[in-house]
Every structure is written in structure tokens, then in C-alpha cells.
């Protein structure tokens, strides 16, 4: 397995995996499949080459099997913060340490960036495997956002977590 920062040439693979994520675990993302399926891979090319975000992917041979994005805040008062978004591993590869390796790459990058002091993320409160992973990496829960997401007639709480680096 290879972990690396995605580049614009990976946009189509990223787009495909993103749509899979939104269909497989819709409760884990603020975006919906219906919204993002209207996009094109070209939109993701720009995101993957942005100056303030780093999307890491796990590849098995040439197949993208997991991703996470580290995004730096740009406003002066919160430039000391970064956020991790869009963590996803294809179901067939879960439980093999893929998410841990992607998260470790994201955290390592954040530690290398001047001025970044903390990393924030949110996780669906009922997602015990993800919460255990984040806790094992040093993230601490600092709040719960009740009814953060609504999927049809079901609400999902989100845990707000932070890692001070």
C-alpha cells in the first residue's frame, strides 16, 4: 500500500471514490451524493492542487482505496488551525489500518506546516470505529453537535474533536 498526496492527475479516481463514500456512508458527510454527482472530475483537479489543502490517498496497486483531506484555515485569527475532512476507506479494505496510515500522513503534514497548532475534525457520534481511531491518534472530544446532519427523517449527532500538536 502506498500513501501519498493526491495530485490533479488523480482527480477522476478521487471523484469516483468520493461518490462511493457518499452512497456507502451518507450519514458521515455533509455533502450528498445528489449534490456532488453533478460535479465533474475537473472540479476536483483544482481542489487537489490548492495551496491550502492536502488530500492524502491510499493506493493498492493503482486503485485508490482511502482518502482524507487536511485543510488549513485562512483567516488571520484562526490560521493556527487545520481541519481534516472527508475521511473514507472503501468497505472491503476497512480494518486493515488504511485509515490510520492516511490520518498519520495528514497529521505529519500538519506538524510540518508553520503556524499550525491544532487539528479539528468531526465524526458521526455513532461511528465507534472512527472515534476509536481518532482517540488512539490523540484527538479529544470537546463537544457534541446535536442533530448536526439530517438524512431524510433521521438526525445524526456529530462529535467535535481536536488534536493539539
Amino acid at each position: 500500500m502506498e500513501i501519498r498526496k493526491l495530485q490533479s492527475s488523480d482527480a477522476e479516481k478521487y471523484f469516483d471514490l468520493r461518490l462511493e463514500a457518499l452512497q456507502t456512508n451518507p450519514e458521515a458527510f455533509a455533502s450528498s451524493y445528489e449534490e456532488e454527482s453533478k460535479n465533474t472530475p475537473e472540479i476536483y483537479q483544482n481542489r487537489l492542487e490548492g495551496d491550502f489543502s492536502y488530500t492524502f490517498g491510499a493506493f493498492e496497486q493503482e486503485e485508490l482505496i482511502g482518502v482524507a483531506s487536511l485543510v488549513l484555515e485562512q483567516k488571520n485569527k484562526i490560521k493556527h488551525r487545520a481541519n481534516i475532512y472527508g475521511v473514507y476507506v472503501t468497505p472491503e479494505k476497512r480494518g486493515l489500518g488504511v485509515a490510520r496510515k492516511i490520518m498519520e500522513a495528514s497529521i505529519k503534514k500538519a506538524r510540518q506546516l508553520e503556524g499550525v497548532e491544532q487539528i479539528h475534525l468531526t465524526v458521526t457520534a455513532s461511528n465507534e470505529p472512527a472515534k476509536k481511531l481518532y482517540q488512539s491518534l490523540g484527538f479529544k472530544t470537546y463537544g457534541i453537535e446535536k442533530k448536526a446532519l439530517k438524512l431524510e427523517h433521521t438526525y445524526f449527532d456529530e462529535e467535535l474533536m481536536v488534536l493539539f500538536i
Side-chain angles (χ1 to χ4, degrees):
M1 179 177 26
E2 176 191 14
I3 307 293
R4 65 172 172 80
K5 180 183 178 292
L6 299 186
Q7 301 171 355
S8 61
S9 59
D10 298 309
E12 193 163 327
K13 289 179 182 180
Y14 176 76
F15 181 56
D16 291 344
L17 191 64
R18 178 80 175 151
L19 292 180
E20 175 189 312
L22 295 171
Q23 284 186 303
T24 304
N25 294 103
E27 76 287 350
F29 303 96
S31 296
S32 71
Y33 176 82
E34 294 74 24
E35 291 166 324
E36 293 218 15
S37 64
K38 295 174 186 170
N39 291 340
T40 63
E42 289 74 30
I43 288 174
Y44 297 95
Q45 284 178 332
N46 293 332
R47 289 185 193 172
L48 294 175
E49 291 298 326
D51 292 334
F52 306 108
S53 68
Y54 305 85
T55 298
F56 293 93
F59 288 85
E60 203 168 68
Q61 284 136 17
E62 294 299 314
E63 181 186 1
L64 182 61
I65 60 170
V67 292
S69 294
L70 175 72
V71 180
L72 309 179
E73 293 288 359
Q74 294 307 297
K75 296 185 185 287
N76 285 336
K77 294 179 184 178
I78 56 174
K79 278 189 171 183
H80 64 290
R81 294 174 46 163
N83 299 285
I84 292 180
Y85 298 113
V87 180
Y88 178 76
V89 174
T90 195
E92 304 80 41
K93 301 299 179 180
R94 292 179 186 170
L96 303 175
V98 177
R100 174 173 294 282
K101 288 182 178 5
I102 297 167
M103 287 295 296
E104 288 171 346
S106 300
I107 294 166
K108 180 179 178 184
K109 181 62 180 178
R111 290 182 190 280
Q112 294 170 348
L113 297 169
E114 185 178 336
V116 175
E117 300 172 11
Q118 52 190 274
I119 306 169
H120 291 253
L121 60 78
T122 62
V123 59
T124 305
S126 59
N127 188 343
E128 291 300 327
K131 290 183 345 186
K132 285 180 182 174
L133 168 65
Y134 302 147
Q135 290 165 350
S136 75
L137 293 167
F139 284 85
K140 305 281 187 224
T141 298
Y142 66 91
I144 305 284
E145 185 176 351
K146 296 287 187 185
K147 297 184 176 182
L149 299 177
K150 184 178 180 183
L151 184 59
E152 296 179 10
H153 302 290
T154 304
Y155 292 96
F156 295 90
D157 297 345
E158 287 189 334
E159 284 195 34
L160 312 172
M161 302 184 86
V162 65
L163 172 66
F164 295 98
I165 56 174

